[in-house]
């Protein structure tokens, strides 16, 4: 096709693949496309969208011309949309010289994007806009076509080895002209000074390849990364967005907003407070979104760590360093650190308190451990000892101090509100404790905190430079000279992310240490709870004998549910939970140098939380006129399964509601039959139970329930005790159980196999039950062989 025809087809084709921005058109649904479920479409889609495939060739073909495509500003992330609609230009160079007034009859502002930008905008934002697409089967995000394409694009445009491959349709002799505005650009003010790209020229104004080969080498890499970061990580509140700006920038924005002429809006400008809430978006990242961000973080660590060692001579470095190498040097602090920090803060504060938080946790831990993605591999020793963190990572830890300290405090606050008896929650606590317990890591974090807390010397140029921290849009060529003061680097990092009035909470201070002690106490209580559940499960299994099929046990009729998710998982998971919590407690002791005597006392206190009967204490309550009332601590104990009330049925067992494992018709018929027998033979049963010989003991054990009778006789609830027959009586309700009926049916089937008639079979069952009753009576009455 001719370029003119391709130009008309391109927007339709992009929307057909990635879906519409409003989510109505699903497109190819790359997020749900997998090789196992779609063996034909999966490889075709990957080949078509490959960096060297037909779609990308079309992009480069259109890129060589002056074609531009409109992307609505209304579909950009909330903070960016709010800024542009208020005519304040975001600091990211991705939006510079691209905002256009609406065409005749059009509504809203648009971005004039070149084909590569337009394609990548749609590709990146489809992860957000298509999150509610229908899924007909279980999809593993890491195996989807979308996830594979993100990995492929990162490896192609941010290579860890070699350089970026040139576009297949590049014209070595020609020039790629800058975009021609189709309408007058909107007058904008910027956050601070006007920022340029990583290169001296803006990426939207690609020069000729011959004139500046460096620009052609990395403009796609910079564009790809900026689009991914803007679309995936720039969805926090506008208050947080403005909080990150330095004070002189806030004053500039405020002054501009107050002086905006009404001609730009057609009406008086909104107040700052109204504007904040008018453009607020409710952002709820999905687990798949977080997994894709983790993939980006891991690749950027590998990309940054592939930087070649600096030469000894500074002059040689200035001549030999390629733009791609310079890009590796600044890619994380310049493009990712700020937005990822706010994104993680948002997730830590808004993610549900369930096991799905594991995705956020692993993404955070991946960012904290860049040494895992370094090219050098540790030697494989026979002993699997933890690898010590090298001192060369001290600069990274200091320049990312809040990622380690403040987010660790945020995790502590989450862990204190979760059920640590759950094996998945216990695993998350174990993972964090294991990472922070790596040798030498806590010492380097403590050193970073000490550098931040150092008193700052009053030096005029330092005070000025503190407000001039570079932002994402600035060029590394225009950065201030290298800062050698480590203390100033840490302060600059903290204040640039949290503002000048930030009150820092020390990770190794008293307040956080008290939180760790609370967590250690909860870990001890969770271990005791898991142990009690394990013991209860073992006792329940051991008590299920063959004869229990023929008779109800008290736990079945009167027991309370002491359930937890461990009941359904089994003994192996209970054992894993205990191992995770034990190792987590050990790691926390290593990190914070906890006193062993204090922990031992804490364990003893948790162990003595059982009364003389071996049962757990009641939840924390206060007595009132209406009875026991739970305190906030008691509610916490019940929610987390640490303590519970022993709720049992205390009424007449014959009058219990019909259970799901019983036949309702038989329950009612057997109750009438047993009532008639009890009324007919009441005197005879009383006489038998009053005897002191073996017959009396047998009748008392099987015809009475002394514990129940005592509770009912002295209960304030039962007023008319004489109207009820609480004496000896026959109970036939166990015959209505489905398992009892099944057992009798099996016995009759086996008896018929040996040609035993129904009468003989019934006789055998009665003899067997009588022998069982005799044995139970002897042992229940304390019978000893030498006394009889």
């Amino acid at each position: 096709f001719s370029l003119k025809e391709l130009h008309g087809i391109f927007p339709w084709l992009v929307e057909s693949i990635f879906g519409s921005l409003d989510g109505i058109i699903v497109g190819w649904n790359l997020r749900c496309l997998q090789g196992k479920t779609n063996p034909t479409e999966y490889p075709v889609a990957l080949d078509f969208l490959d960096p060297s495939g037909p779609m990308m060739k079309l992009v480069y073909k259109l890129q060589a011309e002056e074609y531009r495509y409109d992307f609505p500003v209304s579909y950009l992330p909330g903070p960016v949309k709010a800024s542009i609609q208020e005519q304040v230009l975001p600091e990211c160079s991705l939006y510079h010289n691209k905002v256009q007034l609406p065409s005749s009859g059009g509504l809203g502002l648009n971005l004039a994007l070149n084909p590569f930008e337009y394609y990548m905008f749609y590709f990146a934002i489809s992860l957000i806009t298509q999150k509610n697409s229908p899924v007909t089967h279980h999809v593993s995000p890491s195996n989807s076509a979308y996830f594979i394409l993100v990995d492929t694009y990162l490896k192609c445009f941010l290579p860890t080895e070699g350089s970026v491959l040139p576009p297949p349709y590049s014209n070595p002799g020609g020039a790629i002209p800058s975009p021609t505005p189709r309408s007058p650009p909107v007058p904008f003010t910027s956050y601070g000074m006007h920022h340029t790209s990583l290169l001296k020229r803006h990426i939207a104004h690609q020069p000729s390849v011959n004139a500046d080969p460096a620009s052609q080498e990395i403009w796609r890499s910079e564009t790809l990364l900026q689009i991914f970061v803007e679309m995936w990580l720039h969805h926090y509140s506008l208050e947080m967005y403005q909080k990150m700006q330095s004070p002189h920038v806030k004053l500039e924005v405020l002054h501009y907003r107050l002086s905006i002429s009404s001609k730009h809006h057609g009406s008086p400008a909104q107040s700052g407070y109204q504007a904040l809430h008018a453009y607020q978006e409710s952002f709820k990242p999905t687990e798949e979104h977080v997994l894709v961000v983790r993939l980006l973080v891991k690749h950027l660590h590998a990309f940054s760590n592939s930087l070649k060692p600096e030469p000894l001579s500074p002059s040689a470095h200035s001549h030999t360093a390629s733009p791609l190498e310079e890009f590796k040097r600044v890619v994380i602090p310049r493009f990712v650190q700020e937005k990822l920090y706010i994104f993680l803060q948002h997730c830590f504060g808004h993610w549900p308190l369930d096991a799905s938080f594991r995705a956020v946790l692993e993404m955070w831990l991946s960012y904290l451990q860049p040494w895992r993605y370094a090219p050098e591999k540790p030697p494989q020793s026979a002993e699997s000892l933890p690898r010590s963190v090298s001192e060369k990572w001290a600069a990274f830890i200091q320049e990312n101090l809040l990622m380690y300290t403040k987010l660790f405090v945020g995790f502590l606050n989450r862990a204190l509100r979760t059920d640590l008896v759950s094996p998945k929650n216990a695993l998350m606590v174990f993972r964090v404790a294991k990472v922070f317990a790596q040798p030498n890591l806590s010492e380097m974090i403590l050193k970073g905190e000490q550098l931040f807390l150092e008193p700052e010397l009053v030096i005029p140029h330092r005070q000025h430079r503190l407000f001039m921290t570079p932002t994402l849009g600035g060029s590394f060529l225009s950065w201030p000279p290298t800062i050698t003061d480590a203390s100033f680097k840490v302060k600059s990092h903290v204040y640039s992310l949290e503002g000048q009035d930030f009150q820092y909470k020390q990770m190794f201070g008293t307040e956080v240490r008290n939180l760790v002690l609370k967590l250690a106490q909860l870990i001890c209580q969770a271990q005791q709870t898991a142990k009690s559940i394990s013991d209860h499960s073992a006792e329940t299994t051991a008590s299920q004998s063959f004869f229990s099929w023929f008779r109800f046990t008290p736990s079945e009729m009167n027991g309370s549910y002491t359930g937890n998710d461990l009941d359904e998982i089994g003994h192996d998971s209970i054992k894993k939970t205990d191992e995770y919590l034990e190792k987590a407690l050990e790691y926390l002791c290593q990190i914070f140098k906890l006193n062993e005597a204090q922990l031992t006392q804490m364990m003893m206190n948790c162990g003595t939380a059982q009364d003389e009967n071996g049962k757990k204490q009641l939840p924390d309550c206060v007595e009132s006129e209406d009875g026991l009332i739970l305190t906030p601590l008691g509610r916490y104990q019940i929610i987390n399964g640490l303590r519970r009330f022993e709720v049992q049925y205390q009424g007449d067992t014959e009058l219990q509601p019909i259970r799901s494992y019983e036949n309702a018709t038989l329950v009612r018929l057997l109750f009438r039959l047993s009532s008639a027998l009890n009324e007919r033979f009441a005197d005879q049963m009383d006489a038998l139970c009053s005897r002191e010989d073996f017959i009396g003991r047998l009748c008392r054990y099987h015809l009475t329930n002394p514990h129940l009778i005592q509770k009912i006789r002295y209960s304030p609830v039962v007023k008319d005790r004489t109207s009820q027959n609480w004496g000896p009586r026959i109970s036939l309700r166990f015959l209505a159980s489905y398992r009892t009926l099944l057992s009798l049916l099996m016995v009759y089937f086996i008896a018929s196999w040996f040609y035993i008639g129904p009468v003989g079979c019934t006789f055998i069952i009665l003899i067997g039950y009588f022998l069982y009753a005799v044995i139970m009576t002897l042992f229940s009455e304390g019978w000893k062989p030498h006394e009889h």
Side-chain angles (χ1 to χ4, degrees):
F1 288 86
S2 65
L3 285 177
K4 186 175 181 180
E5 292 175 304
L6 294 176
H7 168 60
I9 292 174
F10 183 66
W12 166 83
L13 181 58
V14 170
E15 190 174 84
S16 300
I17 296 173
F18 301 121
S20 58
L21 296 175
D22 55 11
I24 297 177
I25 301 176
V26 179
W28 291 3
N29 202 7
L30 296 173
R31 294 171 47 255
C32 300
L33 194 63
Q34 293 196 359
K36 292 183 179 180
T37 56
N38 307 94
T40 304
E41 297 86 349
Y42 179 78
V44 174
L46 292 182
D47 292 340
F48 185 77
L49 302 176
D50 189 81
S52 58
M55 189 66 187
M56 198 59 70
K57 290 179 181 179
L58 170 62
V59 169
Y60 294 135
K61 202 171 185 180
L62 296 171
Q63 186 77 24
E65 301 298 324
E66 298 183 6
Y67 294 124
R68 292 296 179 268
Y69 302 92
D70 289 339
F71 189 92
V73 171
S74 58
Y75 289 103
L76 293 175
V80 180
K81 176 177 64 176
S83 300
I84 294 178
Q85 291 180 345
E86 291 187 28
Q87 300 186 358
V88 179
L89 192 64
E91 85 282 7
C92 180
S93 61
L94 187 66
Y95 306 106
H96 290 189
N97 301 327
K98 292 185 174 67
V99 181
Q100 304 292 324
L101 287 173
S103 58
S104 58
L107 297 176
L109 299 171
N110 296 310
L111 295 180
L113 305 177
N114 62 43
F116 184 81
E117 293 168 340
Y118 187 78
Y119 174 83
M120 286 301 172
F121 261 80
Y122 263 86
F123 175 76
I125 206 170
S126 64
L127 180 66
I128 311 298
T129 58
Q130 301 295 325
K131 64 183 179 181
N132 295 323
S133 58
V135 179
T136 57
H137 54 274
H138 178 69
V139 176
S140 175
S142 58
N143 295 327
S144 66
Y146 188 88
F147 193 89
I148 300 300
L149 281 174
V150 172
D151 187 43
T152 304
Y153 289 153
L154 290 174
K155 291 178 179 177
C156 175
F157 297 108
L158 299 172
T160 55
E161 297 180 1
S163 58
V164 184
L165 295 177
Y169 280 94
S170 60
N171 186 5
I176 303 177
S178 60
T180 303
R182 288 163 290 176
S183 58
V186 181
F188 276 89
T189 187
S190 174
Y191 284 125
M193 56 188 174
H194 180 73
H195 304 296
T196 61
S197 171
L198 185 64
L199 302 169
K200 292 182 180 180
R201 299 173 180 83
H202 192 275
I203 55 176
H205 298 268
Q206 290 101 27
S208 65
V209 180
N210 293 338
D212 193 354
S215 175
Q216 186 64 31
E217 179 180 353
I218 71 164
W219 76 264
R220 289 175 296 160
S221 303
E222 186 179 354
T223 301
L224 176 84
L225 180 59
Q226 284 185 326
I227 291 174
F228 282 0
V229 170
E230 287 294 307
M231 295 299 107
W232 296 341
L233 300 179
H234 204 156
H235 289 267
Y236 36 83
S237 65
L238 192 58
E239 293 97 327
M240 188 65 70
Y241 185 74
Q242 293 182 339
K243 177 184 175 183
M244 296 187 299
Q245 310 304 322
S246 56
H248 81 286
V249 172
K250 291 181 181 179
L251 290 175
E252 178 186 345
V253 174
L254 179 61
H255 174 74
Y256 176 79
R257 287 177 176 171
L258 294 176
S259 61
I260 285 180
S261 173
S262 61
K263 65 181 181 181
H264 296 308
H265 292 275
S267 60
Q270 286 181 309
S271 66
Y273 180 82
Q274 290 175 338
L276 287 177
H277 293 273
Y279 299 111
Q280 188 91 349
E281 68 170 350
S282 177
F283 179 56
K284 298 178 182 179
T286 60
E287 187 174 350
E288 180 186 10
H289 183 173
V290 174
L291 291 175
V292 173
V293 173
R294 186 190 180 206
L295 175 64
L296 174 65
V297 168
K298 292 166 65 176
H299 184 84
L300 289 180
H301 273 320
F303 177 70
S304 180
N305 291 334
S306 65
L307 180 67
K308 296 177 182 178
E310 295 185 7
L312 299 177
S313 172
S315 60
H317 167 74
S318 60
H319 288 290
T320 58
S322 66
L324 188 63
E325 293 297 306
E326 295 294 340
F327 188 51
K328 293 178 181 179
R329 193 183 311 278
V330 300
V331 62
I332 290 181
R334 285 273 316 287
F335 291 91
V336 179
Q337 183 193 70
E338 185 180 46
K339 290 185 172 63
L340 181 64
Y341 171 70
I342 306 299
F343 179 79
L344 283 170
Q345 269 198 320
H346 179 85
C347 291
F348 273 60
H350 295 81
W351 202 277
L353 291 172
D354 56 20
S356 64
F357 185 72
R358 176 77 186 278
V360 179
L361 189 76
E362 293 299 336
M363 186 252 289
W364 172 49
L365 297 180
S366 295
Y367 184 83
L368 298 186
Q369 303 177 86
W371 47 87
R372 291 185 57 191
Y373 311 101
E376 65 272 9
K377 297 295 182 182
Q380 296 293 336
S381 58
E383 300 179 359
S384 59
L385 296 176
R387 178 187 176 190
S388 178
V389 181
S390 174
E391 286 292 335
K392 75 175 185 177
W393 300 107
F396 177 87
I397 294 172
Q398 294 167 9
E399 294 170 6
N400 292 271
L401 184 64
L402 291 177
M403 287 282 195
Y404 290 88
T405 58
K406 188 175 181 182
L407 292 182
F408 180 81
V409 176
F411 175 76
L412 280 181
N413 291 325
R414 287 186 60 92
L416 290 173
R417 304 197 306 271
T418 56
D419 179 12
L420 298 183
V421 185
S422 169
K424 295 179 180 179
N425 293 334
L427 175 59
M428 287 193 283
V429 176
F430 164 75
R431 288 283 296 124
V432 174
K434 182 180 179 181
V435 168
F436 278 85
Q438 293 178 84
N440 204 29
L441 178 57
S442 58
E443 289 78 4
M444 286 192 283
I445 297 176
L446 180 60
K447 176 63 175 176
E449 288 192 323
Q450 293 172 350
L451 290 172
F452 174 75
L453 298 174
E454 281 184 3
E456 186 172 1
L457 300 176
V458 182
I459 302 177
H461 77 276
R462 173 177 291 185
Q463 293 293 332
H464 173 69
R465 287 162 64 185
L466 188 61
F467 295 101
M468 297 300 292
T469 52
T471 53
L472 293 179
S475 170
F476 71 86
L477 298 176
S478 62
W479 271 33
T482 304
I483 303 172
T484 56
D485 188 352
S487 175
F488 180 76
K489 282 185 176 180
V490 179
K491 294 175 188 291
S492 176
H493 154 71
V494 173
Y495 290 138
S496 64
L497 292 182
E498 290 289 347
Q500 300 291 324
D501 55 349
F502 175 62
Q503 298 297 323
Y504 183 75
K505 184 184 294 184
Q506 299 182 50
M507 177 175 169
F508 295 95
T510 305
E511 186 176 352
V512 177
R513 186 180 180 86
N514 291 335
L515 290 178
V516 174
L517 288 175
K518 288 183 180 179
L519 179 62
Q521 185 177 7
L522 286 180
I523 289 176
C524 296
Q525 292 177 353
Q527 285 180 303
Q528 292 292 334
T529 303
K531 184 178 182 301
S532 64
I533 294 175
S534 177
D535 295 343
H536 175 74
S537 300
E539 292 174 1
T540 303
T541 304
S543 65
Q544 290 179 351
S545 62
F546 174 77
F547 287 106
S548 65
W549 277 64
F550 298 93
R551 189 175 184 274
F552 283 125
T553 59
S555 62
E556 287 177 318
M557 299 299 292
N558 300 323
S560 61
Y561 176 70
T562 59
N564 189 283
D565 60 350
L566 296 175
D567 294 336
E568 301 177 359
I569 298 174
H571 180 72
D572 292 339
S573 290
I574 299 177
K575 185 178 180 181
K576 285 184 179 180
T577 300
D578 187 64
E579 292 176 357
Y580 290 147
L581 294 178
E582 184 177 356
K583 295 298 293 184
L585 192 59
E586 178 183 340
Y587 288 139
L588 290 175
C589 293
Q590 295 176 12
I591 299 169
F592 293 92
K593 308 295 189 295
L594 298 181
N595 189 355
E596 294 185 2
Q598 189 177 13
L599 288 176
T600 304
Q601 182 64 30
M602 191 183 302
M603 293 288 290
M604 292 177 61
N605 293 338
C606 294
T608 56
Q610 296 181 351
D611 56 19
E612 64 275 5
N613 294 327
K615 296 182 180 179
K616 295 185 65 177
Q617 290 182 343
L618 295 178
D620 192 62
C621 303
V622 293
E623 292 189 6
S624 67
E625 297 178 355
D626 299 328
L628 295 178
I629 298 179
L630 283 173
T631 64
L633 176 60
R635 287 194 292 270
Y636 171 83
Q637 292 169 341
I638 290 180
I639 291 173
N640 291 277
L642 303 178
R643 295 182 184 181
R644 61 176 57 88
F645 290 103
E646 295 295 334
V647 181
Q648 293 185 355
Y649 181 81
Q650 299 184 356
D652 189 354
T653 56
E654 290 294 306
L655 302 178
Q656 288 189 85
I658 298 175
R659 307 303 179 91
S660 60
Y661 52 79
E662 294 178 321
N663 185 287
T665 304
L666 279 179
V667 169
R668 296 185 178 95
L669 291 176
L670 292 173
F671 176 73
R672 293 180 181 179
L673 177 59
S674 60
S675 298
L677 293 175
N678 292 328
E679 185 178 355
R680 174 68 177 81
F681 299 103
D683 296 336
Q684 289 87 336
M685 287 190 291
D686 278 331
L688 289 173
C689 290
S690 61
R691 296 174 57 172
E692 297 296 331
D693 54 3
F694 177 77
I695 299 298
R697 291 198 301 271
L698 178 67
C699 293
R700 283 195 298 271
Y701 180 78
H702 291 282
L703 300 180
T704 63
N705 190 342
H707 180 63
L708 176 62
I709 293 175
Q710 183 179 7
K711 286 193 296 184
I712 294 177
R713 283 178 177 174
Y714 295 97
S715 173
V717 179
V718 182
K719 302 300 181 182
D720 186 10
R721 303 181 188 92
T722 59
S723 61
Q724 298 290 340
N725 180 16
W726 304 116
R729 54 181 176 168
I730 296 173
S731 176
L732 301 176
R733 182 165 174 170
F734 72 96
L735 294 174
S737 170
Y738 286 116
R739 69 177 186 180
T740 302
L741 297 175
L742 179 61
S743 302
L744 293 175
L745 183 61
M746 291 174 59
V747 170
Y748 276 100
F749 176 76
I750 295 173
S752 63
W753 183 267
F754 292 98
Y755 300 103
I756 300 177
V759 177
C761 182
T762 303
F763 181 75
I764 292 175
I765 292 175
L766 293 176
I767 292 296
Y769 188 80
F770 177 75
L771 293 177
Y772 167 73
V774 170
I775 294 173
M776 293 298 296
T777 302
L778 293 175
F779 283 99
S780 65
E781 291 284 332
W783 173 78
K784 296 181 181 179
H786 67 273
E787 294 179 357
H788 298 272

